[in-house]
Structure formats: C-alpha cells, structure tokens
C-alpha cells in the first residue's frame, strides 16, 4: 500500500512538471521597445523612453538621453510662448531670457525620480534594450527645492550688496550683485526643466533684470565719480 502511494505521488509530480514545462514560452520582446510606453507608467505621471545599444551601458544612456530630448521639446514650447509674448509687447524679464531658455541641451543628471525600470536582451540581434521612466512628481519636488534654495542664495547676495552700497563699499557691492546675477543665471536651466515637467515654475520676487539694473546703476555712479575726479585734476576724460 505504501509503495502504491509513493508511485501515485511520483506520477502526480511528473504530471505537474510536464504541464508546467509545456506552458513555458520563449520570452517575447516587450512592447515598450517600439512604443517607448508602458501602461504601468501613464503619461500624466511619467515621462518614458526606450533606448538600445550593443551594451547595457549604452542602452541605458540612450534611454536617458531620450528622456532629456522629450524635456527639451517642452522647453522649446515655452520659448515659443515667451517669443510670442515679446512680439505682442509683453514684458520680458531680462535681455538674457530667450538665451537662457534656448539651452542646446538638457542636463538630467541628479533628477529625482529618474531610473531604468526595465531591461531586455535580444538574443537574436545581440542588442540590449532599456526602458527609462521619470516620475514627474518626484522630479518636480526635487527641482522646486533646488530652485527655492538658489533663489534664497541670490536674495542674500543681493541684500548684502544693497547694504554695502549704502555704506559706500562699492567694490564689495558690485561683487555681490554679480554673485546674485550668476546664481539666477545658473538656476535658470533647472527652472526650464521644472516648467517642462510640471507645467509650472516658482515665482521669484527678485528678478534677474532688477539685479542687473542695480549693478548698472552702481557702474554709472562709479563712472561719474571717476569723471569728476579726473576733471578736478584738470585732465580730459573720454
């Protein structure tokens, strides 16, 4: 009886194994290779892209690059809107605005929520494929934090410059005005990415054009002061 039970169990295991084996199919290439999309990552919440290459590293970089290209399309759309506003007589924040908006490349390094979420190797073609996804919410939160910190740094430089200007410390004031300008220019590409991903930006009470005007005023004051001194010395000033 015991032998009969063991034989029955053996046949049952063999039957299950046989059924399982017949159900296993050769892995098919995922649809995201051709579409760059996956229902698990909806457009409203993610930016996705697929890339390929002869190595895993190259396919990963290709997918990431395509994410950047999609973001750049969004930035170009904003450029068009700004240019349209200027043509209609709208106020542009600074003479550098268009230049800063039309960056030739998008640096996605350090973006939160960006990762390779799936990979596939095609045995026949001997090619690697990668699927990248950028979580819009996570990326937006990280960029907002980065932009706010930069705005705060620029504001501090500006306030220090204002105080130095009142004290007559012109050289020091100019130095900090320039630092504020540099900080506002440095963060602009990241603001562009934020606009492209989230469709919104962060209002900054301190605009680039305001700081540029202050620096121009100080430079004019220095020029007038030099002209007066030169004239008092009985010299011509051109």
């Amino acid at each position: 009886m015991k032998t009969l039970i063991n034989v029955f169990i053996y046949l049952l295991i063999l039957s299950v194994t046989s059924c399982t084996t017949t159900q296993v199919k050769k892995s098919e290439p995922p649809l995201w290779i051709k579409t760059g999309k996956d229902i698990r990552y909806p457009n409203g919440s993610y930016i996705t892209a697929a890339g390929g290459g002869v190595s895993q590293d190259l396919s990963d970089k290709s997918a990431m690059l395509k994410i950047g290209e999609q973001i750049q399309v969004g930035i170009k759309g904003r450029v068009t809107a700004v240019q349209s506003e200027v043509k209609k007589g709208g106020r542009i924040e600074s003479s550098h605005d268009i230049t800063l908006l039309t960056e030739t490349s998008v640096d996605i390094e350090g973006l939160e929520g960006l990762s390779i979420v799936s990979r596939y190797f095609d045995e026949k073609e001997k090619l690697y494929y990668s699927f990248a996804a950028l979580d819009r919410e996570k990326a937006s939160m990280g960029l907002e934090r980065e932009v706010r910190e930069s705005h705060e740094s620029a504001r501090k430089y500006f306030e220090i410059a204002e105080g130095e200007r009142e004290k007559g410390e012109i050289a020091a004031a100019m130095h900090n005005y320039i630092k504020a300008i540099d900080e506002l220019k440095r963060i602009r590409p990241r603001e562009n990415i934020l606009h492209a991903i989230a469709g919104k930006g962060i209002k900054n009470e301190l605009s680039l054009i305001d700081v540029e005007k202050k620096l121009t005023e100080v430079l004019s004051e220095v020029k007038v002061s030099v002209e007066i001194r030169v004239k008092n010395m009985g010299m011509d000033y051109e």
Side-chain angles (χ1 to χ4, degrees), residues 2 14 16 20 24 26 41 44 57-58 65 82 93 104 109 112 149 155 160 173 175 182 198 202 217-218 227:
K2 185 176 181 182
L14 184 63
V16 171
T20 304
V24 174
K26 185 177 180 180
Y41 302 93
D57 183 59
L58 287 176
L65 180 62
V82 171
E93 181 183 324
T104 56
E109 185 178 353
E112 295 181 17
E149 290 175 354
R155 186 185 63 79
I160 292 172
H175 175 70
D182 288 344
I202 296 177
E217 288 174 5
V218 172
E227 287 177 345

Side-chain angles (χ1 to χ4, degrees), residues 88-125:
K88 293 178 181 178
R91 178 179 180 271
I92 188 167
E93 181 183 324
S94 166
S95 59
H96 300 287
D97 234 21
I98 296 295
T99 303
L100 290 169
L101 278 168
T102 54
E103 291 289 328
T104 56
S105 62
V106 173
D107 183 7
I108 60 174
E109 185 178 353
L111 282 183
E112 295 181 17
L114 175 63
S115 62
I116 299 295
V117 296
S118 189
R119 294 187 175 96
Y120 178 80
F121 177 66
D122 191 311
E123 291 282 356
K124 183 178 180 180
E125 296 182 4

Side-chain angles (χ1 to χ4, degrees), residues 31 36 39 51-52 69 111 124 149 166 172 210:
L31 290 176
I39 57 174
E69 289 172 351
L111 282 183
K124 183 178 180 180
E149 290 175 354
E166 288 182 7
D210 290 336

